[in-house]
């Protein structure tokens, strides 16, 4: 039986990706990242847990005009949604679907541990998936986040779940050399940047609204953190910029440009004293998140 969605931070998600054991043929090495994205869509995005798949482990109580967000592990779900694309159905890793509206946000997640020369094949697949869903849902805010294992050429004692050569990474498995991404990854970065930042629903359906690329450190105390060779906050493929774009484009398309639907599409605001925020998020495990907090009165007066 699949594991239910849990509240996990990036450290746990990235570590499980980087050191998956031997079962990388399944999605288990990246499922924690699915959970992280689903939870961030609620905490920072302001979406009702019931609208997100896999369903995050939260419960919402309404106290007057206040929405209080609680951590409810028993509520976590495990299913992904199957969306009707323009060419074929597509199982999507993380989605937000609103009643009477349909799919509004989708996020596809991929992970690569080695053989980085094959990344160009991922580009063809990513562009095809994006086109397929945008043909059916032109307004869909679609994101693509790819994790790469930051295998360093200088690492003399690598710990890996794939074959080494003389105790070192094979040349085709090296992701970082002298602190910089390998040529194969640099070419992929340029291609992924061109595939990102779709602005309007009339733009090319093969482009995503946001793309992100993160290299995960696998050496020493830095294991499970973004490698310094990852895109920085001022670059297109930074993963925090990725979430900011998803929320901004969602608001533009489904709230600001459709005021008659605002009651159904407006993102929720969580009470600042919500237990999941004060007892979990505020404890420092999620420094990159900016929970969507405030009072209902403040929300209505904006």
């Amino acid at each position: 039986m699949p594991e239910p969605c849990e509240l996990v931070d990036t450290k746990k998600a990235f570590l499980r990706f980087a050191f998956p054991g031997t079962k990388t043929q399944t999605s288990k090495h990246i499922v924690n990242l699915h959970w992280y994205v689903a939870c961030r869509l609620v905490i920072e995005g302001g979406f009702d847990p019931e609208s997100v798949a896999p369903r995050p482990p939260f419960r919402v109580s309404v106290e007057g005009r206040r929405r209080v967000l609680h951590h409810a592990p028993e509520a976590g779900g495990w299913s992904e949604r199957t969306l009707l694309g323009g060419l074929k159905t597509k199982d999507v890793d993380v989605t937000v679907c609103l009643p009477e509206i349909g799919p509004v946000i989708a996020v596809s997640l991929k992970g690569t541990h080695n053989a980085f020369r094959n990344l160009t094949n991922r580009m063809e697949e990513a562009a095809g998936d994006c086109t397929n869903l945008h043909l059916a849902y032109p307004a869909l805010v679609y994101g693509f986040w790819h994790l790469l294992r930051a295998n360093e050429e200088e690492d003399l004692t690598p710990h890996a779940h794939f074959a080494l050569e003389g105790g070192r990474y094979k040349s085709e498995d090296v992701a970082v050399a002298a602190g910089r991404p390998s040529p194969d990854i640099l070419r992929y970065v340029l291609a992924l940047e061109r595939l990102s930042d779709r602005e309007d629903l009339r733009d090319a359906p093969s482009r995503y609204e946001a793309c992100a690329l993160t290299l995960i450190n696998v050496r020493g105390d830095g294991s499970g953190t973004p490698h310094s060779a990852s895109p920085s906050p001022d670059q297109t493929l930074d993963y925090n910029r990725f979430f900011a774009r998803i929320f901004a484009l969602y608001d533009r398309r489904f709230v600001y440009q459709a005021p008659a639907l605002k009651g159904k599409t407006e993102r929720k605001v969580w009470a600042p004293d919500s237990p999941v925020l004060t007892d979990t998020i505020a404890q420092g495990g999620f420094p990159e998140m900016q929970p969507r907090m405030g009072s209902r009165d403040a929300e209505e007066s904006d």
Side-chain angles (χ1 to χ4, degrees):
M1 186 174 183
E3 301 171 82
C5 182
E6 299 176 8
L7 176 58
V8 297
D9 57 17
T10 54
K11 178 78 171 180
K12 181 175 181 179
F14 291 164
L15 273 174
R16 187 168 184 181
F17 163 76
F19 301 101
T22 59
K23 297 182 178 180
T24 55
Q25 72 274 17
T26 70
S27 63
K28 289 186 176 182
H29 66 291
I30 204 167
V31 70
N32 277 21
L33 196 67
H34 295 190
W35 301 345
Y36 172 81
V37 171
C39 291
R40 190 162 179 173
L41 288 172
V42 175
I43 294 169
E44 191 174 63
F47 292 100
D48 193 305
E50 296 286 352
S51 300
V52 182
R55 192 199 186 287
F58 303 126
R59 176 175 57 82
V60 179
S61 63
V62 179
E63 301 174 2
R65 293 183 174 182
R66 302 169 69 252
R67 293 186 181 88
V68 182
L69 190 63
H70 305 265
H71 187 199
E74 71 284 355
W78 50 80
S79 61
E80 60 185 18
R81 285 193 177 101
T82 301
L83 300 185
L84 178 65
L87 303 173
K88 62 177 182 177
T89 58
K90 168 66 178 174
D91 295 333
V92 185
D93 297 321
V94 184
T95 52
V96 178
C97 289
L98 302 183
E100 301 180 44
I101 304 294
V104 294
I105 290 177
V107 178
S108 286
L109 300 154
K110 301 295 182 184
T112 302
H113 293 94
N114 58 328
F116 297 110
R117 62 189 177 189
N118 297 327
L119 285 173
T120 51
N121 296 334
R122 289 288 195 182
M123 286 304 312
E124 296 176 3
E125 177 186 335
D129 287 344
C130 190
T131 302
N132 178 44
L133 288 188
H134 275 148
L135 287 175
Y137 310 103
L140 179 71
V141 179
Y142 197 4
F144 176 73
W145 188 3
H146 199 154
L147 265 60
L148 306 180
R149 196 176 193 270
N151 307 323
E152 294 188 56
E153 185 177 54
E154 293 79 10
D155 191 351
L156 301 179
T157 57
H159 176 60
H161 52 282
F162 47 86
L164 302 174
E165 190 172 76
R168 302 284 296 275
Y169 292 118
K170 298 177 184 178
S171 59
E172 61 265 30
D173 297 338
V174 169
V176 179
R180 289 178 52 80
S182 70
D184 287 330
I185 292 176
L186 285 174
R187 284 192 291 271
Y188 183 63
V189 165
L190 294 175
L192 200 57
E193 287 177 339
R194 295 197 299 271
L195 200 62
S196 185
D197 284 20
R198 180 177 183 256
E199 291 289 341
D200 191 85
L201 54 86
R202 294 167 294 183
D203 290 344
S206 60
R207 293 180 66 185
Y208 290 87
E209 277 63 26
C211 291
L213 180 78
T214 309
L215 285 86
I216 306 304
N217 202 328
V218 293
R219 293 185 70 179
D221 294 340
S223 293
T225 62
H227 192 279
S228 60
S230 296
S232 59
D234 61 338
Q235 293 179 304
T236 301
L237 302 182
D238 173 64
Y239 78 93
N240 286 311
R241 178 185 183 271
F242 171 88
F243 284 99
R245 275 192 60 82
I246 285 176
F247 300 143
L249 287 171
Y250 170 83
D251 284 343
R252 186 190 308 170
R253 295 180 188 176
F254 292 95
V255 183
Y256 303 145
Q257 293 182 351
L261 296 175
K262 184 177 179 180
K264 298 177 181 178
T265 60
E266 189 172 37
R267 295 188 286 139
K268 306 295 189 295
V269 174
W270 312 121
D273 59 350
S274 294
V276 74
L277 304 182
T278 59
D279 299 342
T280 305
I281 304 303
Q283 300 305 311
F286 301 82
E288 76 286 356
M289 284 199 198
Q290 299 179 11
R292 188 170 166 82
M293 298 186 299
S295 67
R296 183 61 185 172
D297 288 335
E299 184 185 6
E300 290 181 338
S301 64
D302 288 340

